[in-house]
């Protein structure tokens, strides 16, 4: 058999798979293809990616493809396992460093009494049942009677009592439960579970290393000393590094490298102590300061390579050790059923009993119980360490892996089936769903992807404030964040959930976006409420739509799916973002506007007294144009805005008589409104009519207005397309956003709410479902204008899984 790292190539008569580097490259590629393919197939079932990775590892192992001796000896030969296991454990080591970064000890200390009680019962009851199950295992599985009894009892107890914190966060997000009280309680309890599980695992490892209790005690005491040393000696160093990495400035490379070196050194120390190298990385992750940008930059630097490339190797390494064929005979399968039942009874029963004791309703208690029963990576770590230390044999290991897989797999469908969130008993009526309505305040839900969108968004809000008075403007600014499988997404979830305030950002945090909104409220009379939606791009439109209904918005403003480049062209963010806008247009319970951002007002927000913008409104007729005209009328009330309304008259009787009458009424209402505000007298509003005989004449008229700051147009006016390929912006808006049209003006394309042509929005009709309002909405109505700070109130209701299906 050939050896070495690299081959001389197939043309030299050598087999590259006989060498370490080509073989490990093939293994990594195969692992990624199999696990990502399974994740795609399981996506309709809304399963977390860890399920696909566990199944992929089992399929590549001796349970499926590995049953072929030729495949196993070619792709995963025994001589390659040392290299594969080393890479897998390096990936696992840094991943657990990321897990430590995600755990905020201050947040855990603030855990409520109910969540703490649920967590403790969710650990204690299954731990005791796991110890009882271990006796059945030792009596029934040949070979286990020779394993050390005390470590085996502890390993079984830990394996049954673990809750997978990152996996639970993913499941809650998929089910839109993360921002509910139930999700908050489950996540808080799982965080305590996570820390407790690592402490118990350290105990199990210390006990498994030797049969001498004196040595085990020495290992535990040394481990405690190491943890104390990390907090006393190492944490101040990391705090110093974090303080020298202020927000808005690049983190020095030497700080990143030094921190990663500290992770490796700490792992070496814990391995020398005898409690596994993983603990050192995990402890360092915990003590890294969570305030400031240093922790988030560390995550960004490490997670892509580790979570995407190296971590799946650990699942395959585990799968290669899992041989389902060892589970043979009625006794073995009976043990599998027994351990699954005991795991469910212990974890679910303990959590449910405690929930009922603290007066949580039965349905919510059952849901929390199943959520707490999710397993994941930490479960596999426990089982693999137990197998490596000869505490578990092949049959016991395979049974426990299948238990973890089954209990996690059933969580999502069962929670979807049993949890039906309660809706508020009282709710304010949802009447105003369009701009041209006259029922109460104008509520706007304005969405944005990142900080670069905020100046334009805030300047647009200032333009739209009108004269205030009885119909003031209330704006909810929603930051849209894609939730990926990466751990940093879970970190963002924590930041938006601090102080147990779902969706709403905490007033105590000082993120860049919040600072921008706070500064805006000092310069303007409009109240802007920051919100955050973290979800998969395939479902984030539901967050937008449900929030619009909850806040009784008259219009939703979403960003265009293309961003402006330095050369003036637009770059697409991808088809997924395009699909989000189309779903919102199709299902929104109110009017929708798409904002094409070309830098309205520059890169900073303009103070109200310094606003001097020009707006061009193109009116062709139809419901969308009438809605756009109503928006322009509100803009015309601002003293710093000049509005030009260019009406294009059709050259043929193609417009229905009823529509023509409505168009005339809208134009007269616009003139009356601006006249009442005195805008017509001071020349800030100009109204002109043009014949729309051909596309060229329309384009020529639009070009004359190209020096304005903002175009306001309807989405679907009754006119021929001006652009060759019209997208969701419609026949006119697509031209205004095309490279063909040279301008620096931003574009607001408006679609009027109409349930007759928007059938999916009917589920928000008051007759079909009670309108949703929060306590905060009542406060909004009672408090006058200005920038008064109102404490956010958590939303107690969220859409049921059946409605989301």
């Amino acid at each position: 058999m050939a050896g070495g790292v690299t081959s001389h190539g197939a043309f030299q008569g050598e087999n590259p798979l006989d060498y370490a580097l080509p073989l490990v490259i093939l293994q990594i590629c195969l692992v990624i293809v199999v696990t990502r393919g399974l994740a795609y197939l399981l996506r309709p079932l809304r399963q977390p990616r860890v399920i696909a990775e566990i199944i992929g590892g089992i399929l590549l192992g001796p349970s499926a493809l590995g049953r072929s001796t030729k495949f196993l000896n070619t792709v995963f030969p025994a001589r390659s396992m040392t290299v594969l296991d080393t890479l897998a454990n390096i990936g696992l080591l840094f991943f657990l460093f990321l897990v430590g970064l995600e755990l905020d000890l201050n947040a855990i200390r603030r855990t409520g009494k109910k969540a703490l009680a649920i967590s403790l019962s969710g650990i204690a009851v299954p731990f005791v049942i796991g110890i009882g199950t271990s006796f059945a295992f030792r009596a029934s599985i040949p070979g286990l009677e020779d394993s050390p009894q005390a470590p085996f009892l502890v390993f079984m107890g830990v394996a049954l009592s673990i809750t997978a914190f990152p996996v639970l966060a993913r499941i809650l997000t998929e089910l839109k439960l993360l921002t509910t009280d139930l999700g908050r309680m489950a996540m808080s309890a799982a965080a305590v579970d996570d820390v407790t599980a690592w402490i118990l695992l350290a105990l199990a490892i210390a006990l498994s290393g030797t049969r001498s209790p004196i040595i085990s005690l020495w290992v535990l005491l040394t481990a405690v000393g190491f943890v104390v040393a990390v907090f006393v000696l190492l944490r101040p160093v990391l705090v110093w590094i974090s303080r020298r990495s202020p927000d808005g400035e690049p983190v020095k490379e030497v700080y990143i490298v030094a921190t990663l070196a500290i992770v490796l050194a700490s792992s070496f120390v814990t391995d020398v102590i005898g409690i596994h190298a993983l603990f050192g990385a995990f402890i360092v992750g915990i003590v890294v300061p969570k305030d400031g940008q240093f922790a988030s930059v560390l995550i960004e630097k490490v997670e892509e390579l580790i979570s995407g490339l190296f971590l799946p190797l650990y699942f395959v390494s585990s799968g290669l050790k899992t041989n389902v064929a060892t589970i043979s005979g009625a006794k073995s399968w009976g043990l599998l059923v027994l351990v699954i039942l005991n795991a469910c009874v212990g974890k679910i029963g303990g959590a449910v009993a405690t929930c009922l004791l603290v007066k949580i309703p039965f349905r919510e208690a059952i849901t929390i119980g199943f959520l707490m029963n999710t397993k994941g990576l930490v479960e596999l770590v426990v089982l693999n360490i137990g197998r490596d230390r000869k505490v578990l044999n092949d049959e016991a290991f395979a049974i426990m892996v299948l238990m973890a897989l089954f209990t996690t797999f059933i969580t999502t469908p069962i929670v979807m089936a049993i949890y039906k969130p309660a809706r508020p008993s009282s709710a304010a009526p949802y009447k105003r769903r369009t701009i041209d309505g006259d029922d109460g305040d104008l509520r706007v839900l304005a969405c944005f992807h990142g900080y670069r969108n905020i100046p334009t968004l805030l300047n647009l809000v200032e333009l739209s404030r009108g004269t205030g008075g009885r119909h003031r403007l209330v704006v909810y600014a929603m930051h849209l964040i894609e939730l990926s499988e990466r751990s940093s997404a879970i970190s963002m979830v924590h930041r938006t959930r601090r102080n147990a305030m779902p969706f709403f950002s905490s007033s105590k945090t000082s993120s860049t976006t919040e600072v921008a909104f706070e500064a805006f409220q000092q310069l303007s009379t409009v109240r802007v409420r920051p919100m955050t939606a973290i979800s998969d791009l395939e479902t984030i439109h539901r967050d937008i739509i449900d929030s619009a209904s909850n806040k009784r918005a008259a219009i939703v403003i979403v960003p265009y799916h293309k961003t402006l480049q330095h050369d003036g062209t637009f770059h697409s963010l991808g088809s997924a973002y395009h699909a989000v806008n189309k779903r919102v247009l199709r299902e929104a319970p109110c009017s929708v506007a798409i904002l094409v951002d070309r830098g309205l007002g520059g890169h900073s927000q303009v103070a109200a007294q310094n606003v001097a913008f020009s707006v061009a409104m193109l009116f062709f007729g139809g419901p969308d144009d009438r809605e756009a005209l109503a928006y322009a009328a509100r803009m015309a009330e601002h003293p710093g805005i000049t509005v030009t309304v260019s009406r294009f008259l059709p050259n043929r009787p193609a417009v229905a008589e009823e529509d023509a009458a409505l168009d005339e009424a809208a134009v007269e209402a616009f003139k009356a409104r601006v006249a009442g505000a005195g805008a017509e007298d001071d020349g800030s509003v100009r109204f002109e009519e043009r014949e729309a005989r051909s596309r060229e004449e329309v384009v020529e008229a639009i070009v004359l207005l190209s020096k304005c700051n903002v175009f306001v147009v309807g989405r679907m006016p009754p006119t021929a397309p001006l652009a060759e390929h019209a997208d969701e912006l419609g026949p006119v808006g697509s031209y205004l956003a095309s490279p063909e049209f040279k301008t620096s003006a931003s574009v607001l394309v408006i679609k009027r709410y109409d349930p007759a042509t928007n059938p999916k929005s009917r589920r928000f009709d008051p007759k079909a479902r009670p309108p949703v309002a929060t306590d905060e909405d009542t406060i909004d109505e009672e408090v006058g204008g200005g920038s008064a700070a109102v404490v956010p109130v958590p939303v107690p209701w969220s859409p049921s899984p059946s409605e989301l299906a």
Side-chain angles (χ1 to χ4, degrees):
M1 181 181 67
V5 179
T6 60
S7 72
H8 293 89
F11 291 109
Q12 301 293 331
E14 294 183 349
N15 182 1
L17 297 184
D18 290 337
Y19 295 82
L21 183 60
L23 181 58
V24 78
I25 290 173
L26 175 65
Q27 290 170 342
I28 292 173
C29 292
L30 181 62
V31 168
I32 291 174
V33 169
V34 171
T35 55
R36 291 304 176 103
L38 285 171
Y40 178 79
L41 293 176
L42 291 173
R43 208 167 185 179
L45 300 178
R46 305 171 82 170
Q47 294 292 335
R49 199 172 78 194
V50 65
I51 291 291
E53 289 170 332
I54 294 175
I55 295 175
I58 294 174
L59 292 180
L60 290 173
S63 302
L65 294 176
R67 296 177 71 87
S68 168
T69 307
K70 185 176 182 180
F71 171 82
L72 203 60
N73 292 336
T74 302
V75 181
F76 295 102
R79 58 185 166 80
S80 72
M81 295 313 297
T82 301
V83 176
L84 183 65
D85 286 345
T86 301
L87 290 176
N89 277 277
I90 289 176
L92 180 64
L93 186 149
F94 280 106
F95 180 78
L96 290 176
F97 167 66
L98 295 177
V99 172
L101 280 174
E102 301 299 334
L103 284 176
D104 188 349
L105 291 182
N106 292 326
I108 292 177
R109 281 196 291 266
R110 293 195 302 266
T111 299
K113 293 180 180 179
K114 289 184 179 181
L116 183 61
I118 294 169
S119 175
L120 294 179
S121 64
I123 291 175
V125 176
F127 189 85
V128 172
I129 291 179
I131 291 176
T133 307
S134 67
F135 289 103
F137 268 57
R138 288 175 66 87
S140 305
I141 299 178
L144 280 184
E145 64 273 4
D146 298 329
S147 63
Q149 183 171 4
F152 183 70
L153 299 181
V154 178
F155 268 103
M156 287 294 293
V158 172
L160 265 65
S161 60
I162 284 174
T163 296
F165 180 73
V167 178
L168 176 61
R170 182 69 191 187
I171 291 175
L172 288 170
T173 305
E174 285 286 346
L175 300 179
K176 305 295 182 188
L177 299 177
L178 191 61
T179 56
T180 63
D181 287 342
L182 180 141
R184 173 185 58 81
M185 192 169 297
M187 287 290 286
S188 299
V192 177
D193 268 17
D194 222 26
V195 175
T196 308
W198 282 105
I199 296 173
L200 293 174
L201 180 57
L203 173 64
I205 293 174
L207 292 174
S208 66
T210 176
R211 296 180 184 272
S212 171
I214 300 298
I215 295 179
S216 296
L217 179 61
W218 179 245
V219 169
L220 284 175
L221 291 176
T222 310
V224 171
F226 168 78
V227 174
V228 172
V230 168
F231 276 89
V232 174
L233 302 177
L234 183 57
R235 180 173 171 78
V237 176
L238 294 171
V239 169
W240 179 82
I241 291 176
S242 178
R243 287 176 179 172
R244 292 180 64 87
S245 306
D247 290 347
E249 296 183 12
V251 177
K252 293 182 179 179
E253 181 186 4
V254 65
Y255 294 157
I256 301 293
V257 174
T259 305
L260 298 182
I262 289 172
V263 172
L264 294 173
S266 300
S267 301
F268 173 78
V269 172
T270 52
D271 190 77
V272 170
I273 291 172
I275 56 168
H276 208 284
L278 304 177
F279 282 91
F282 181 68
I283 296 298
V284 173
I286 287 179
V287 300
V288 171
K290 305 304 186 289
D291 298 328
Q293 68 166 348
F294 183 62
S296 61
V297 171
L298 274 174
I299 292 173
E300 291 173 4
K301 297 286 186 182
V302 175
E303 67 177 351
E304 297 287 1
L305 181 66
I306 297 303
S307 300
L309 199 63
F310 285 103
L311 191 62
L313 296 181
Y314 188 80
F315 291 96
V316 172
S317 174
S318 177
L320 291 171
K321 303 170 188 173
T322 306
N323 189 357
V324 179
T326 59
I327 308 175
S328 58
K331 184 181 292 186
S332 294
W333 287 104
L335 283 175
L336 175 60
V337 173
L338 174 68
V339 74
I340 289 175
L341 288 177
N342 284 350
C344 293
V345 169
K347 198 72 175 177
I348 299 171
V352 169
T354 306
C355 287
L356 295 177
L357 287 176
V358 296
K359 306 298 176 57
I360 294 177
F362 180 74
R363 190 184 294 272
E364 282 78 0
I366 292 289
T367 304
I368 290 175
F370 275 98
L371 290 171
M372 296 295 290
N373 198 35
T374 55
K375 311 296 182 185
L377 178 65
V378 180
E379 175 84 5
L380 289 186
V381 172
V382 172
L383 299 178
N384 276 281
I385 292 175
R387 187 182 182 280
D388 293 341
R389 296 194 171 230
K390 311 299 182 184
V391 176
L392 301 174
N393 63 10
D394 289 347
E395 183 177 350
F397 180 79
I399 289 174
M400 297 301 292
V401 169
L402 291 183
M403 179 274 294
L405 180 64
F406 179 82
T407 54
T408 305
F409 190 89
I410 65 173
T411 299
T412 298
I414 288 180
V415 170
M416 290 177 64
I418 65 176
Y419 183 57
K420 308 294 182 184
R423 296 171 181 171
S425 56
S426 62
Y430 187 1
K431 295 181 180 179
R432 185 169 185 176
R433 297 167 182 260
T434 59
I435 296 294
D436 60 5
D438 195 37
D439 297 309
D441 299 334
L442 176 62
R443 293 170 172 266
V444 177
L445 177 65
C447 306
F448 62 98
H449 293 310
Y451 181 74
R452 63 178 296 178
N453 305 128
I454 293 179
T456 293
L457 186 62
L458 292 179
N459 287 324
L460 179 64
V461 169
E462 174 61 31
L463 266 63
S464 311
R465 67 177 172 89
T467 56
R470 189 168 64 89
H471 301 307
R472 62 192 177 92
L473 180 66
V474 178
V475 178
Y476 298 92
M478 176 178 278
H479 189 186
L480 305 178
I481 301 177
E482 178 187 5
L483 178 72
S484 67
E485 294 282 355
R486 296 152 34 185
S487 56
S488 62
I490 307 302
S491 179
M492 288 187 288
V493 169
H494 291 309
R495 289 199 290 271
T496 58
R497 292 170 49 81
R498 199 163 292 175
N499 292 340
M501 292 180 181
F503 270 110
F504 287 91
S505 301
S506 165
S507 59
K508 295 184 180 180
T509 56
S510 56
S511 68
T512 308
T513 55
E514 289 174 358
V515 169
F517 291 125
E518 288 172 5
F520 174 77
Q521 294 201 149
Q522 301 300 321
L523 301 173
S524 175
T525 59
V526 181
R527 300 175 58 228
V528 179
R529 307 303 309 279
M531 303 171 67
T532 303
I534 304 178
S535 189
D536 188 277
L537 288 181
E538 290 191 356
T539 60
I540 201 168
H541 67 284
R542 295 170 182 159
D543 295 288
I544 299 172
I545 291 166
D546 291 323
S547 295
S549 179
N550 290 342
K551 302 304 171 189
R552 310 195 311 280
I555 187 169
V556 173
I557 300 176
V558 294
Y560 190 40
H561 72 280
K562 297 179 181 179
T563 59
L564 186 68
Q565 303 299 297
H566 294 295
D567 60 359
T569 61
F570 281 96
H571 172 70
S572 176
L573 295 174
S575 58
Y577 289 90
H578 190 191
V580 170
N581 287 356
K582 290 193 288 187
R583 294 185 188 112
V584 173
L585 286 167
R586 188 168 59 246
E587 303 180 28
C590 57
S591 295
V592 178
I594 299 176
L595 177 60
V596 180
D597 183 4
R598 285 196 176 103
L600 174 61
H603 298 292
S604 61
Q605 191 258 321
V606 181
Q609 63 270 21
N610 298 328
V611 169
F613 292 132
S614 59
V615 177
M617 192 277 144
L618 309 179
F619 187 84
F620 293 85
D624 293 348
D625 277 25
R626 293 194 291 271
E627 186 77 347
L629 186 63
Y631 202 102
R634 187 173 184 95
M635 288 179 162
E637 296 176 358
H638 195 292
I641 305 297
T642 59
V643 176
T644 300
V645 176
S646 186
R647 184 183 185 185
F648 295 88
L649 300 174
N651 61 350
R652 60 185 187 278
V655 180
E657 184 176 342
E658 182 180 354
D659 262 353
L662 291 173
D663 291 344
E664 290 299 330
V667 170
E668 293 304 319
F670 171 83
K671 292 179 179 179
R673 181 168 181 173
V674 297
E680 199 170 33
D681 298 332
D682 60 17
S684 60
V685 176
R686 187 160 59 94
F687 188 90
E688 58 186 29
E689 293 185 346
R690 300 172 181 271
E691 291 287 340
R693 289 189 293 268
S694 65
R695 175 189 179 278
E696 288 72 20
E697 289 185 356
V698 173
V699 169
E700 182 180 352
I702 294 175
V703 170
L704 295 176
L705 301 170
S706 61
K707 293 183 179 180
C708 69
N709 299 106
V710 186
F711 277 99
V712 180
V713 297
R715 178 172 176 259
M716 297 300 292
T719 185
L722 303 182
E724 185 176 350
H725 300 290
D727 56 12
E728 78 270 24
L729 298 181
V732 177
S734 298
Y735 171 74
L736 297 176
S738 68
E740 179 185 350
F741 183 57
K742 305 299 181 183
T743 184
S744 60
S746 296
V747 184
L748 191 67
V749 181
I750 299 177
K751 173 185 179 293
R752 190 181 193 279
Y753 171 72
D754 182 6
T757 59
N758 196 3
K760 288 205 171 185
S761 70
R762 289 179 183 173
R763 69 189 184 103
F764 296 95
D765 192 279
K767 296 178 182 178
R769 133 182 179 175
V772 178
T774 66
D775 295 338
E776 184 186 3
D777 293 325
T778 305
I779 295 174
D780 284 345
E781 290 168 1
E782 293 175 353
V783 179
S787 58
V790 179
V791 178
V793 177
V795 181
W797 179 88
S798 63
S800 67
S802 61
E803 289 178 314
L804 297 178

